[in-house]
Amino acid sequence: MIETLTIAIGADHGGVHMKTRLATALRDAGHEVLDFGTDGPASVDYPDFAQAVCAAVAQKRAAYGVLVCGTGIGMSIAANRNPAIRCGLVHDVTTARLTRAHNDANVLALGARIIGEEVALDILAAFLGTTFEGGRHERRLSKLNKTTEPTP
Ligand code: RB5
């Protein structure tokens, strides 16, 4: 029996095909998907989709978010502006596992022009299948949103 999760997903035009593939896989696995678009090839702005997905995660309407753009870089930068979000830009299964185990990432960013869709599916499975280790990592997470004085 798998744990049924609600996952928020979004992409820009560079990631829309991969997003569709990931959303289908999530639904096939029994998860609920909140799809914030985009849904076609027309050029759009990635921050709009990152902000919608991250709001759903921050408001606990979704357990996790998945963001796809051409490189994953723009999406990850936009996502990490939200103080409730820890977004990992991931290119392989190992960093997918570790960004959950060590960073308690709640959003996954992927680059559709960088990795293949089969790799992305394996990454998503590793991300959802890994729990946060806590311990020393909890202390580090607690420091993430502390502002520091600029050094003179
Ligand atoms: C869109 O052309 C592209 O800039 C975007 O998908 C992403 O790669 C940005 O980081």
Side-chain angles (χ1 to χ4, degrees), residues 12-15 43-44 46 68-75 113:
D12 73 356
H13 52 287
S43 184
V44 294
Y46 59 80
V68 192
C69 66
T71 60
I73 297 170
M75 285 294 198
R113 295 174 184 155

Side-chain angles (χ1 to χ4, degrees), residues 35-143:
D35 189 340
F36 289 91
T38 191
D39 297 313
S43 184
V44 294
D45 300 332
Y46 59 80
D48 298 334
F49 301 90
Q51 286 157 8
V53 165
C54 291
V57 175
Q59 294 162 9
K60 303 197 185 306
R61 288 183 281 130
Y64 299 106
V66 179
L67 294 167
V68 192
C69 66
T71 60
I73 297 170
M75 285 294 198
S76 62
I77 291 171
N80 281 312
R81 296 286 171 101
N82 184 325
I85 297 303
R86 293 172 303 280
C87 175
L89 170 57
V90 165
H91 298 113
D92 56 67
V93 166
T94 305
T95 45
R97 175 174 60 79
L98 289 172
T99 202
R100 285 286 308 122
H102 291 184
N103 311 121
D104 198 17
N106 51 12
V107 174
L108 172 67
L110 298 168
R113 295 174 184 155
I114 308 299
I115 60 168
E117 292 186 357
E118 293 295 325
V119 174
L121 288 165
D122 289 345
I123 285 171
L124 182 59
F127 184 87
L128 296 179
T130 305
T131 54
F132 177 49
E133 286 178 10
R136 67 191 187 281
H137 303 295
E138 190 78 66
R139 182 181 71 244
R140 292 161 186 166
L141 295 189
S142 74
K143 295 183 177 182

